[in-house]
Amino acid sequence: MMKRLRLRRYGAESPLINIVQKIIQLHKQGYSNIGYRAMWKILNSCCGINATQETVRIALKAIHYDGVVARSRRRLVRRRYCNLGPNFCIHIDGYDKLKPFGISVHGAIDGFSRKIIWLTASHTNKNPRNVALNFVEFLRQSKRVPRLVRSDAGTENVIIRSIQIALRAVHNDNMSGYRSFSEGRSTGNQRIEMLWSFLCPYFTTFWRNMFKDMIDNGELNNTNPVHLECVRFCFLPVIQQHLDIFSKICGIVIEFGHNVKLIKTMASRMLCTTSHYFMTLSTIPMTYHVTKVIFDDITRLYTKPMLPRGCSEEFCQFIQQITSVNLDDFNVVDTPQEAKTLFCMLTSVLP
């Protein structure tokens, strides 16, 4: 009667062998990361097993000791990133922190050595042809195609995706063709997101505060397209210069307060030197050679050159007319304060 009604006497515990077998079965079904209290509730309420919490705790400790120790530490267990060599996987993404002021940044980083492959500022990082130009120039200089390219699912990466798949289609490894390009959420693109976190204190904070101060002082109206063109005309070369310096120094030192520590500490795990990239590249074959001739056709058909100083041709011609200064002569402006002075001068004479 009691068995038919699924009743049991209070305190009557199921045999230990049945408890252990059911716990092992639940582990195989996906319940391997829960604690003994949750396991005890599942056993008693859903599995028809009568067991005390103490019995379940001891059984779990014997069955899965590593899991018990990990849960007792109350620490997040991070997934391990695996990259077998330089150019095994490169990560690309756009950076929009300065986009409200008319400046867009796009970058790429090698997942193995953390070498910055490109870091460019321009008027847009959403045009697939402009973005693809950076990738093609990287292929042209290295004469190699990376094994895998990782990006988000944005439309700005569609041409890079097509170029990567086309160049890797002739190879016979397990990641050739369509497998050579990986798309996913931007937050899961670990290496490039790490780069953006480093870029913020070294670069973004200064420029964002500067532009916000200009807005507060009435010098900049970021809703005015003419002002945004002036921002790019005056500040873009200086911003690109800062990005180039950041690309060179970020793998060498990192500053904590007033102390400068070499990359033997945390920075050594984040950003390695350029020599690490090239030395390992020559010993570990993780890339595939391509002929340089095809890049001329790819550049002509699928890319678009960046605008000079990030501005339209009409705007640059207009600036030359009202200032009677050749466009190349503006390159003498190489500091943020000089760029700000030039910006104020241009906005004062423009309608």
Side-chain angles (χ1 to χ4, degrees):
M1 177 65 71
M2 294 183 63
K3 184 177 181 180
R4 182 169 59 84
L5 296 177
R6 295 183 179 178
L7 300 176
R8 56 178 179 267
R9 288 190 177 89
Y10 178 78
E13 193 173 34
S14 301
L16 182 60
I17 186 64
N18 294 345
I19 298 174
V20 173
Q21 289 177 350
K22 182 58 68 173
I23 291 176
I24 295 175
Q25 181 181 352
L26 290 173
H27 274 205
K28 293 180 180 179
Q29 295 175 0
Y31 295 94
S32 58
N33 294 321
I34 62 176
Y36 75 92
R37 293 184 181 88
M39 181 65 72
W40 170 76
K41 289 182 179 180
I42 293 175
L43 290 173
N44 284 269
S45 60
C46 303
C47 300
I49 299 293
N50 186 23
T52 63
Q53 288 190 6
E54 183 66 16
T55 302
V56 176
R57 185 185 67 82
I58 296 174
L60 274 179
K61 190 172 183 180
I63 295 171
H64 194 197
Y65 178 77
D66 294 338
V68 173
V69 173
R71 286 190 293 272
S72 63
R73 290 175 180 171
R74 297 183 181 276
R75 293 180 182 176
L76 177 65
V77 180
R78 298 186 180 274
R79 296 180 60 187
R80 178 171 295 181
Y81 176 84
C82 181
N83 196 306
L84 302 182
N87 279 8
F88 181 86
C89 179
I90 67 171
H91 303 257
I92 63 176
D93 195 16
Y95 189 65
D96 298 335
K97 298 301 182 182
L98 296 182
K99 203 162 190 177
F101 316 107
I103 305 294
S104 300
V105 179
H106 197 272
I109 188 172
D110 177 61
F112 176 75
S113 64
R114 289 83 163 177
K115 176 187 178 297
I116 297 177
I117 299 175
W118 72 75
L119 197 59
T120 57
S122 65
H123 65 291
T124 179
N125 57 8
K126 299 301 182 184
N127 190 323
R129 293 181 176 271
N130 293 126
V131 174
L133 180 64
N134 297 319
F135 183 65
V136 174
E137 289 301 321
F138 160 66
L139 298 180
R140 188 194 303 273
Q141 293 175 8
S142 63
K143 300 179 183 179
R144 294 179 173 91
V145 181
R147 185 180 177 90
L148 177 67
V149 176
R150 171 68 164 85
S151 76
D152 57 22
T155 56
E156 69 273 12
N157 301 314
V158 293
I159 295 182
I160 293 181
R161 179 179 182 273
S162 300
I163 295 173
Q164 171 71 9
I165 292 174
L167 294 178
R168 292 276 283 115
V170 297
H171 303 137
N172 298 320
D173 59 285
N174 60 348
M175 296 182 68
S176 61
Y178 286 95
R179 298 188 184 93
S180 64
F181 193 89
S182 174
E183 292 180 343
R185 294 177 62 88
S186 181
T187 54
N189 205 353
Q190 301 175 19
R191 285 294 184 262
I192 196 72
E193 292 299 327
M194 174 272 302
L195 175 63
W196 299 147
S197 67
F198 268 79
L199 189 65
C200 185
Y202 279 86
F203 167 82
T204 311
T205 302
F206 170 78
W207 287 105
R208 186 164 50 188
N209 291 341
M210 183 176 185
F211 290 138
K212 286 184 177 180
D213 289 342
M214 293 173 63
I215 292 176
D216 294 339
N217 296 333
E219 300 169 336
L220 170 62
N221 180 8
N222 63 338
T223 62
N224 188 342
V226 177
H227 277 216
L228 295 182
E229 288 275 14
C230 290
V231 167
R232 288 190 288 268
F233 185 86
C234 301
F235 290 96
L236 191 64
V238 184
I239 289 176
Q240 185 60 57
Q241 181 183 358
H242 281 202
L243 290 175
D244 294 339
I245 294 175
F246 172 80
S247 300
K248 293 179 180 179
I249 69 170
C250 66
I252 302 175
V253 295
I254 182 170
E255 186 174 351
F256 295 96
H258 298 287
N259 298 324
V260 177
K261 299 185 179 181
L262 296 178
I263 60 173
K264 295 180 181 179
T265 57
M266 183 182 70
S268 64
R269 304 186 189 97
M270 294 294 184
L271 297 170
C272 299
T273 57
T274 304
S275 59
H276 184 206
Y277 171 81
F278 288 106
M279 289 174 62
T280 317
L281 184 63
S282 61
T283 57
I284 303 178
M286 289 297 168
T287 53
Y288 302 86
H289 292 270
V290 291
T291 58
K292 195 175 181 179
V293 180
I294 64 174
F295 292 129
D296 295 333
D297 295 332
I298 294 177
T299 303
R300 177 173 53 86
L301 295 174
Y302 300 107
T303 67
K304 184 179 180 181
M306 296 294 181
L307 297 177
R309 303 182 75 92
C311 300
S312 62
E313 184 178 355
E314 295 80 4
F315 184 83
C316 293
Q317 293 176 356
F318 180 68
I319 293 296
Q320 293 182 81
Q321 290 177 0
I322 65 174
T323 59
S324 301
V325 178
N326 191 4
L327 193 63
D328 295 334
D329 295 335
F330 286 101
N331 293 332
V332 297
V333 178
D334 58 356
T335 65
Q337 191 58 42
E338 291 176 353
K340 182 178 179 180
T341 302
L342 177 61
F343 172 83
C344 294
M345 183 192 70
L346 292 179
T347 52
S348 63
V349 298
L350 288 174

